[in-house]
Amino acid sequence: MYGWFIAGGERDDSGCGRSKLLRGSSVAGKGEQEVHGQKDKDDKSIIEEPDETGVGQEQGHQVRGASRGVQGNAVGRIEEGFHSLVRIDPAIALIPLRLSPHSSMTMAVEGEIQKECCWLGEQDDLPTATRVGWLDVIGRRSDGLSAAVGDAGIFGAERTDCDSPITLINATFQWINDNLKDTIDFVVWTGDSARHDNDELIPRTPEQVIELNEMLVHKFVEVFGKPDNINDTDPTNDFTIPIVPNFGNNDILPHNIFTPGPNRWTKEFSRVWRQFIPEEQRHGFERGGWFFVEVIPNKLAVLSLNTLYFFNSNNAVDGCASKSEPGYEHFEWLRIQLQFFRQRGMKAILMGHVPPARTPSKQSWDETCWQKYTLWLRQYRDVIVGGLYGHMNIDHFMIQDNDQIDIQLVTGEIEPAKKPRKWNEFSIQSSAAYLTELRYGWSNLPDSVKAKDVGTSTEKKENKKKKKKKKGRKSEHDKFLDKIGGQWAERYSATLVSASVVPNYFPAMRVFEYNITGAREPLNNLQDQSKEVTDAQLDELKRGQIFARSGKHGFVKPHPPSKSQPPGPAYSPQTFSWASYTQYFANLTRINADFASPRKSQDARFTYEVEYDTKNDSVFGLEDLTVRSYVDLATRIGDYKPRKDDLCSTTANDVENDMSAAKKRKHKKSKKHKKHKKQKRINKTWFAFVNRAYVGAKDEEDLHDQFGFAMEND
């Protein structure tokens, strides 16, 4: 039996639950959108009251998007997810939703090309204005620099650094309401619900950041709110399914900086997210911004980690090794919760905003935090189902290697030999270098090709007997298994990072399918050691007495699962293991064109479609989402000498050229010319990986130009 979560689900009469989880990061808007000239009755609720300049008044189709008191064009941005912009400044009002709030402009500034997302101004105020499709597109800057005008489209400017317009937010939630609402069990919302703070003319304010998050809560209420709980005084009972939010680095001010709690932001979000955070955890949330929700009571929990305390760019904190740091306290909290879940026989999903990205030149977490995280994943592998993160806007995964755990680094007794560069904004340009470094690291993973697992276990035993190997001599397959930590690859752990609704590429979301076989059984049938935790045990646990102590600083190292236990849900298919996911995307290029076309606009509709589904994906070939499956996939992606099944050519001309070159080499082959230039071979799994990282929004030609050399060198 399987379920799905973007997070969400349906239950049929047979007791077979379909469980889905909705994974995304977002921002929502007040009121409904006006599309195609049709206003919602709540349209006025999203337009700010006009100020003394009269800004914000609507006159037919003409929009006053900027104050006469502000020179140039205001730049508005909203970060990853279901995003919208409510209020920028007292002098600038949110425009009606029939038009996109910004257009894409490319400006030449001292030889550099910069893209901006500009608010639409009033035509009377502009020396140059043109009508492009649905949009008034402007071409003026306060500094007098010329601007090349581009069409943002009614649902935003895809493949740019622009944030999501409210039209995209409303359309996304409407699509979820129409297509996923009744089939998912819970929602994981990974943060960054406020716009970027990239415009000097319109700096963000704390009030605006909170308003944007409140808007998104409102959108969740619209889709998942209970219609019949008017007299219910429990705010956490307002939704039909659990929704688990998380801080993003754009959900606070200053950008990236999150001080030790309690602070303004933990207190503010304790109020904004009061419908999501269990009442008994609000005090702890105000202290550090962390909490968990039992999305399936007594069975499965989702832990919302405050990754800003691990984030390399947060200059208000310093890692996770010192007891004085909030990162240290956070991992102590996580350790205790995971131990509770182990005692209760529960499973847990970890989620957060900033993922634990770690390559030779780029590292998102402080090294001491990465070390602890990887250690916790290893020690609690019987409890943890997996990790879900956002922030980077690209669809990919990462592998943590337990062999890289150094207890002295965990405790802070020693400093890393070389500190990677500080993690700045993850841009479209820097992502290419990051993905290439990921691949290079995976090229060093143990290769299973020579030690291919063929035949049943009985057949292997028989083959071993027939070969009459010398005592103590291991087969290549056994050596390979030793290298990866056994049959289930327990040397490693995997972390998944999803693309976002913000259209840096194409808007995207992901729906996971997970195993719910046996989920209705009593707890003591799910896990042998499941038992009630006594008060004495809880006190002992809080004091750390249940754990082994290691290191000069009295570091509390969690015990691993007992050797008699089977592998955990991240390693072996079992109850709550992830089975597959479906990646959805909205092709904004086509959708925007349809809405702008006089011929097609009447029939145009906004929709998400399937980009790929791991259940029937022949390229990745993931039988399930276990760590072993991801290690095998990473090995294939990192193969610079791809096997036949992973070979592809770039174009039809390349195929012909390759065939012609092969014939010539065949004729010239001789002892005298043994050394010759080898035919270039392109790894199609690597090509699919980078193509999907950008949600299919990059041209194949651009991908080959950017990643081709990394694909073909052997």
Side-chain angles (χ1 to χ4, degrees):
M1 301 180 190
Y2 293 99
W4 292 265
F5 69 100
I6 291 200
E10 65 185 26
R11 301 282 176 184
D12 58 28
D13 293 336
S14 66
C16 302
R18 287 190 173 186
S19 315
K20 290 189 179 180
L21 163 131
L22 175 58
R23 188 11 225 109
S25 48
S26 53
V27 177
K30 297 177 181 177
E32 295 300 324
Q33 62 177 332
E34 177 195 355
V35 178
H36 235 22
Q38 297 179 355
K39 281 188 180 180
D40 186 274
K41 62 182 179 180
D42 296 328
D43 182 64
K44 292 182 180 178
S45 67
I46 60 168
I47 303 178
E48 297 292 334
E49 290 295 325
D51 65 358
E52 58 190 15
T53 66
V55 173
Q57 299 175 356
E58 179 190 1
Q59 299 177 351
H61 294 322
Q62 180 58 49
V63 178
R64 297 176 182 267
S67 167
R68 289 181 176 84
V70 179
Q71 290 185 331
N73 304 309
V75 178
R77 297 194 53 162
I78 299 176
E79 160 81 348
E80 10 173 337
F82 315 141
H83 298 288
S84 67
L85 194 49
V86 180
R87 185 173 181 278
I88 298 300
D89 183 270
I92 296 182
L94 180 66
I95 66 173
L97 298 178
R98 180 175 171 275
L99 301 180
S100 171
H102 50 58
S103 66
S104 174
M105 304 181 68
T106 303
M107 285 154 284
V109 183
E110 296 181 356
E112 296 183 0
I113 300 298
Q114 298 182 354
K115 284 188 178 295
E116 300 286 1
C117 309
C118 297
W119 284 88
L120 305 178
E122 183 180 7
Q123 280 193 353
D124 295 343
D125 291 338
L126 300 173
T128 305
T130 58
R131 172 75 65 174
V132 180
W134 291 79
L135 306 175
D136 288 319
V137 183
I138 54 181
R140 185 190 73 170
R141 278 178 58 87
S142 59
D143 53 14
L145 293 173
S146 61
V149 178
D151 185 358
I154 190 171
F155 295 106
E158 73 276 15
R159 292 182 285 191
T160 70
D161 290 334
C162 296
D163 290 304
S164 303
I166 197 171
T167 47
L168 178 57
I169 308 312
N170 286 335
T172 295
F173 273 95
Q174 186 62 53
W175 187 87
I176 293 171
N177 182 79
D178 296 343
N179 296 275
L180 297 177
K181 176 182 176 180
D182 298 324
T183 63
I184 55 177
D185 294 332
F186 55 96
V187 176
V188 170
W189 165 20
T190 57
D192 261 5
S193 302
R195 69 181 178 95
H196 284 89
D197 197 12
N198 288 350
D199 184 16
E200 294 178 359
L201 294 178
I202 314 174
R204 299 191 309 167
T205 65
E207 292 74 22
Q208 182 194 109
V209 170
I210 294 300
E211 284 178 351
L212 291 171
N213 278 275
E214 288 175 332
M215 282 195 305
L216 199 49
V217 171
H218 175 68
K219 297 306 294 184
F220 278 114
V221 170
E222 287 180 359
V223 177
F224 297 108
K226 287 183 179 179
D228 56 352
N229 68 332
I230 297 175
N231 297 321
D232 188 346
T233 58
D234 180 6
T236 61
N237 195 36
D238 290 349
F239 293 91
T240 57
I241 60 173
I243 295 164
V244 190
N246 191 260
F247 285 118
N249 59 310
N250 285 296
D251 292 325
I252 56 174
L253 281 176
H255 177 65
N256 295 337
I257 305 302
F258 201 95
T259 58
N263 58 42
R264 172 180 183 168
W265 297 105
T266 60
K267 293 176 182 177
E268 287 277 19
F269 278 94
S270 179
R271 176 186 60 81
V272 174
W273 291 342
R274 64 190 179 280
Q275 294 159 292
F276 308 129
I277 303 170
E279 185 175 2
E280 64 274 14
Q281 295 189 59
R282 287 178 198 157
H283 177 75
F285 178 84
E286 287 192 14
R287 181 171 178 81
W290 48 69
F291 71 102
F292 70 86
V293 175
E294 294 190 18
V295 293
I296 302 179
N298 299 314
K299 302 289 184 69
L300 178 66
V302 175
L303 293 98
S304 180
L305 307 181
N306 185 359
T307 56
L308 301 185
Y309 284 147
F310 314 151
F311 194 23
N312 245 341
S313 295
N314 183 5
N315 293 324
V317 297
D318 187 19
C320 301
S322 171
K323 290 183 179 180
S324 62
E325 290 297 326
Y328 178 96
E329 183 179 351
H330 196 348
F331 272 103
E332 286 298 286
W333 173 87
L334 178 59
R335 173 179 65 81
I336 290 171
Q337 303 311 322
L338 292 173
Q339 184 65 23
F340 284 167
F341 296 145
R342 175 183 281 172
Q343 298 276 9
R344 295 171 60 193
M346 290 181 62
K347 306 301 178 187
I349 295 171
L350 307 183
M351 61 83 74
H353 179 65
V354 181
R358 184 175 181 262
T359 65
S361 67
K362 297 179 185 296
Q363 184 162 340
S364 59
W365 288 13
D366 181 271
E367 178 65 14
T368 59
C369 302
W370 184 93
Q371 289 279 337
K372 267 191 178 176
Y373 179 74
T374 306
L375 177 62
W376 266 223
L377 290 177
R378 185 185 73 181
Q379 302 301 86
Y380 289 108
R381 61 187 182 275
D382 56 323
V383 177
I384 297 171
V385 177
L388 302 172
Y389 297 85
H391 181 64
M392 299 172 75
N393 295 338
I394 56 173
D395 170 6
H396 70 297
F397 65 95
M398 45 191 78
I399 301 289
Q400 289 83 40
D401 185 352
N402 294 337
D403 282 4
Q404 295 179 10
I405 296 172
D406 186 329
I407 294 298
Q408 288 186 305
L409 284 172
V410 173
T411 60
E413 293 177 54
I414 61 172
E415 292 286 329
K418 181 182 178 182
K419 285 193 174 183
R421 189 184 313 155
K422 276 269 186 180
W423 187 274
N424 296 316
E425 258 335 290
F426 191 74
S427 66
I428 297 173
Q429 293 76 20
S430 64
S431 63
Y434 165 75
L435 291 173
T436 302
E437 286 187 343
L438 268 186
R439 190 202 182 195
Y440 180 76
W442 293 343
S443 69
N444 296 313
L445 290 171
D447 194 348
S448 63
V449 176
K450 293 181 181 179
K452 193 172 182 182
D453 195 356
V454 181
T456 65
S457 57
T458 305
E459 289 171 340
K460 289 170 199 165
K461 288 178 182 178
E462 292 298 323
N463 289 335
K464 286 183 179 180
K465 289 179 182 178
K466 289 178 183 178
K467 291 178 182 178
K468 295 181 180 179
K469 293 183 180 177
K470 292 182 180 179
K471 189 177 181 180
R473 186 174 179 181
K474 290 187 176 182
S475 67
E476 289 297 318
H477 176 71
D478 289 337
K479 291 178 182 177
F480 166 72
L481 291 182
D482 286 346
K483 289 179 181 178
I484 67 170
Q487 179 184 356
W488 310 106
E490 291 181 292
R491 168 181 166 181
Y492 303 101
S493 55
T495 296
L496 308 189
V497 183
S498 297
S500 63
V501 175
V502 69
N504 282 165
Y505 310 107
F506 285 140
M509 69 178 73
R510 179 174 293 183
V511 177
F512 285 84
E513 182 180 49
Y514 64 103
N515 191 328
I516 56 171
T517 303
R520 292 178 180 270
E521 296 177 13
L523 284 177
N524 56 6
N525 288 337
L526 284 176
Q527 194 162 336
D528 291 336
Q529 95 281 5
S530 174
K531 56 185 177 182
E532 195 170 333
V533 184
T534 66
D535 291 340
Q537 285 176 316
L538 293 183
D539 291 340
E540 204 175 329
L541 180 61
K542 291 175 182 178
R543 292 195 303 269
Q545 299 303 311
I546 288 177
F547 303 92
R549 293 187 177 273
S550 172
K552 296 178 181 178
H553 303 286
F555 167 65
V556 179
K557 180 180 178 182
H559 284 307
S562 66
K563 293 182 179 180
S564 61
Q565 273 193 252
Y571 297 90
S572 172
Q574 58 191 264
T575 306
F576 302 130
S577 293
W578 296 339
S580 65
Y581 66 80
T582 303
Q583 187 74 16
Y584 292 94
F585 80 108
N587 188 329
L588 285 194
T589 303
R590 186 181 67 244
I591 293 171
N592 283 331
D594 286 350
F595 274 88
S597 168
R599 250 184 342 105
K600 298 180 179 180
S601 60
Q602 295 300 321
D603 299 320
R605 65 190 183 93
F606 180 93
T607 186
Y608 280 84
E609 55 193 287
V610 175
E611 182 189 5
Y612 66 96
D613 186 334
T614 61
K615 280 185 293 189
N616 51 31
D617 174 30
S618 60
V619 182
F620 278 6
L622 292 168
E623 294 182 4
D624 50 41
L625 303 184
T626 59
V627 172
R628 175 69 185 271
S629 292
Y630 272 108
V631 169
D632 289 345
L633 175 59
T635 303
R636 289 168 51 214
I637 291 171
D639 195 347
Y640 289 91
K641 296 182 179 181
R643 59 203 76 172
K644 289 182 180 180
D645 291 344
D646 287 329
L647 281 172
C648 73
S649 294
T650 55
T651 64
N653 288 334
D654 288 332
V655 174
E656 292 177 2
N657 293 337
D658 287 348
M659 290 175 64
S660 175
K663 288 178 181 177
K664 289 179 181 179
R665 284 197 298 271
K666 186 176 180 181
H667 289 304
K668 291 182 178 180
K669 193 173 182 181
S670 66
K671 291 182 180 179
K672 189 175 180 180
H673 298 92
K674 280 184 179 179
K675 293 183 179 180
H676 58 271
K677 188 176 181 181
K678 292 183 180 180
Q679 179 185 358
K680 290 179 179 179
R681 299 182 293 180
I682 293 178
N683 185 331
K684 73 177 182 183
T685 310
W686 161 241
F687 183 81
F689 176 69
V690 295
N691 184 49
R692 291 170 178 180
Y694 299 116
V695 200
K698 281 199 171 189
D699 294 332
E700 287 194 10
E701 205 171 304
D702 292 339
L703 286 177
H704 282 286
D705 288 344
Q706 200 162 22
F707 297 99
F709 290 108
M711 295 179 195
E712 60 200 29
N713 294 336
D714 55 15

